[in-house]
Amino acid sequence: MTSLRRPMGAALPRALVALFALAGTPALGAKAPALVDAAGTYRIASSSTVRFSVGQVGGSGGIAGSFTKFSGTFRIDGDDIGESSVEFTLYPESVNSTEGRIEDFLRSSAVFDAVNYRTVTFRSTAVSQTGPDTATIEGTLTVRGKSRKERFAVALTDWNRRSISFTIRGSVRRSPYGMTVGTPIYSNVVEFNMNIRGQKR
Amino acid sequence: MLRNSKDRFGTVTIVLHWTIAVLILGLLLTGLVMRRTEIDPALQFSLYQWHKSFGFIALGLAALQALRWLVERSPAPPPTLGPMEQMASRAAHLSLIALALLVPLAGWAVASASTLAIPSFFFNLIVIPHLPLPRSETSEAFFALAHATLAYATLALVAVHAAAAIYHHFLGRDEVLVRMLRSGSAPRPDSTISAPEKDDTLVERKRR
Ligand code: HEM
């Protein structure tokens, strides 16, 4: 989590600093156009990455993988970042890991039960800015038909007129979703690490 | 009597013998179910972990039994056994002692060589380290084959071993089975006589 608080990369356009630092503050004079530019609705590009890892007893190792099929949109509210929102769907059958046996197991009824629950969805309920280039998104995660409130930390990494990129991190406890298999050998906590690129619509 | 005597098994030997027997039969059954039947994948995962934990107990007890066998005297075979039977039983017992060690060692090797690298978390208490073996598909397949082959060979030998004990008890009417059931100094009354005439023992049995 501490990594989210790092200062924004120097390569980022200065206007963007203004965008996030002063979102919702109308008296910005010359920098106002950038704000208008970033505001809008974005489609989550398939070039985004959704990676996860689960630690194991004794430290080193564990399960790591990614999902290759997902879709979603988000809207950045230019007037009030807190009014921004995101909808995200991923398809657990697209899970990728170090070997087929692990992928099959993750798809099976023991974990995602991908046959009966084809999607994992996230709908934001609240967005709050936490720093010049960071925010927290709270929302409803639905896995295996069970919905719970989860929180993810967002950090802006890149931005131009047509696209915007974030890293998104979050820790999700899997037991409430009925996915206790493998505990305590494998941690109950799944760490998500995503690079989400939005294509402006 | 805790220790073996010249013609009786001690309690330690007897308890180890039957505990290992129950463990091995249970491990054969869980091994068979988790590998050869279509079961719920979550249950299968759990079975694997129970199999490994109980397998380590079996390995520990088999090591104790082997050690005991090396340092302690073995009771003389009952006098009812002919020279061929004595040789066959000694060979069978030696093989069982070796297999009781080799089978779980091969199982440990499977867990260690597997590319899945699933930790062996002994009853969710302590992590038992993997053996220093190359971790690859071929290495895993080799030890899985060795483990399965040795395990089913053990099952076959256990069947012969048990059949021999039952044969001795009900047809030979000697003390072979009984002396592995209880220690004590009084051997089976109808077999101590070790009478050559089997008819006598038969009569005596019926009188009881
Ligand atoms: C006396 C002790 C043991 C017995 C009798 C036994 C028996 C068996 C049997 C019958 C199977 C099924 C083989 C097949 O059908 O392919 C099996 C599989 C297996 N056993 Fe054991 N086992 C013992 C100890 C252990 C130990 C100590 C471990 C690990 C620490 C272990 C790990 C495994 C594993 C990982 C498999 C699955 C192999 C595969 O995926 O092909 N076993 N065992």
Side-chain angles (χ1 to χ4, degrees):
Chain A
M1 287 300 179
T2 48
S3 61
L4 293 173
R5 306 210 180 276
R6 71 184 184 275
M8 189 162 60
L12 284 173
R14 290 188 55 177
L16 201 59
V17 182
L19 158 67
F20 277 84
L22 302 165
T25 321
L28 236 172
K31 275 156 187 167
L35 195 100
V36 174
D37 281 351
T41 304
Y42 294 81
R43 187 181 54 77
I44 292 173
S46 57
S47 58
S48 306
T49 56
V50 178
R51 278 173 288 142
F52 66 90
S53 63
V54 182
Q56 76 179 25
V57 62
S60 63
I63 304 288
S66 63
F67 296 96
T68 55
K69 197 175 159 212
F70 44 79
S71 62
T73 56
F74 58 87
R75 197 179 62 81
I76 297 177
D77 191 304
D79 298 326
D80 180 1
I81 288 293
E83 286 298 303
S84 304
S85 63
V86 54
E87 287 191 6
F88 184 69
T89 300
L90 71 74
Y91 300 85
E93 88 240 8
S94 72
V95 71
N96 237 318
S97 189
T98 43
E99 66 175 276
R101 282 186 292 181
I102 296 175
E103 293 165 2
D104 290 344
F105 189 73
L106 292 172
R107 287 183 197 112
S108 80
S109 62
V111 187
F112 286 108
D113 198 1
V115 175
N116 293 309
Y117 302 99
R118 302 192 57 80
T119 61
V120 168
T121 59
F122 180 77
R123 303 268 175 281
S124 68
T125 51
V127 175
S128 54
Q129 199 171 346
T130 52
D133 57 349
T134 59
T136 301
I137 302 182
E138 226 170 62
T140 307
L141 182 68
T142 305
V143 190
R144 289 176 65 120
K146 293 190 180 67
S147 298
R148 278 173 57 85
K149 198 160 96 178
E150 300 291 352
R151 184 177 296 155
F152 292 90
V154 182
L156 182 70
T157 53
D158 201 6
W159 177 82
N160 62 44
R161 280 173 185 278
R162 279 164 290 106
S163 75
I164 190 162
S165 301
F166 304 98
T167 61
I168 301 180
R169 286 165 185 270
S171 307
V172 176
R173 295 189 325 119
R174 57 197 175 93
S175 54
Y177 299 96
M179 306 196 303
T180 51
V181 72
T183 50
I185 294 176
Y186 294 103
S187 171
N188 186 25
V189 179
V190 183
E191 303 286 352
F192 282 93
N193 184 355
M194 309 179 240
N195 288 310
I196 298 296
R197 205 165 67 82
Q199 207 81 49
K200 199 162 189 177
R201 294 214 294 210
Chain B
M1 271 196 320
L2 279 179
R3 322 232 7 206
N4 294 351
S5 67
K6 72 177 198 312
D7 59 356
R8 308 296 298 168
F9 285 112
T11 310
V12 174
T13 309
I14 292 174
V15 168
L16 278 174
H17 173 273
W18 290 107
T19 314
I20 293 169
V22 168
L23 280 170
I24 287 182
L25 289 176
L27 286 158
L28 281 162
L29 188 70
T30 52
L32 188 85
V33 169
M34 74 193 195
R35 279 288 289 128
R36 307 282 163 182
T37 64
E38 282 291 322
I39 51 166
D40 177 69
L43 175 66
Q44 186 189 40
F45 185 92
S46 296
L47 274 184
Y48 264 79
Q49 309 320 312
W50 286 111
H51 182 88
K52 291 194 289 177
S53 289
F54 279 107
F56 279 118
I57 295 202
L59 176 60
L61 295 182
L64 276 180
Q65 186 76 308
L67 201 73
R68 186 206 55 72
W69 182 81
L70 283 174
V71 301
E72 202 179 30
R73 73 163 150 199
S74 298
T80 46
L81 263 62
M84 280 302 286
E85 281 178 306
Q86 287 194 26
M87 257 170 50
S89 69
R90 197 177 305 117
H93 298 162
L94 242 164
S95 309
L96 284 169
I97 288 168
L99 284 168
L101 289 169
L102 288 175
V103 170
L105 280 173
W108 191 2
V110 179
S112 307
S114 172
T115 50
L116 295 173
I118 299 172
S120 296
F121 199 19
F122 183 74
F123 293 105
N124 292 343
L125 293 172
I126 53 157
V127 176
I128 296 182
H130 290 314
L131 295 167
L133 294 167
R135 191 173 286 161
S136 73
E137 249 173 75
T138 19
S139 175
E140 177 180 352
F142 170 78
F143 288 113
L145 182 66
H147 184 54
T149 310
L150 291 170
Y152 294 125
T154 307
L155 177 61
L157 195 52
V158 164
V160 172
H161 175 73
I166 287 164
Y167 168 84
H168 276 276
H169 190 74
F170 290 106
L171 294 161
R173 298 184 192 289
D174 56 26
E175 56 180 330
V176 162
L177 177 60
V178 173
R179 69 181 197 162
M180 192 45 100
L181 287 170
R182 55 182 137 80
S183 187
S185 46
R188 197 177 176 180
D190 55 355
S191 55
T192 34
I193 306 151
S194 64
E197 310 93 344
K198 293 229 159 139
D199 281 351
D200 283 0
T201 58
L202 195 71
V203 169
E204 210 176 321
R205 240 174 101 86
K206 279 182 178 158
R207 242 191 277 131
R208 278 198 298 170

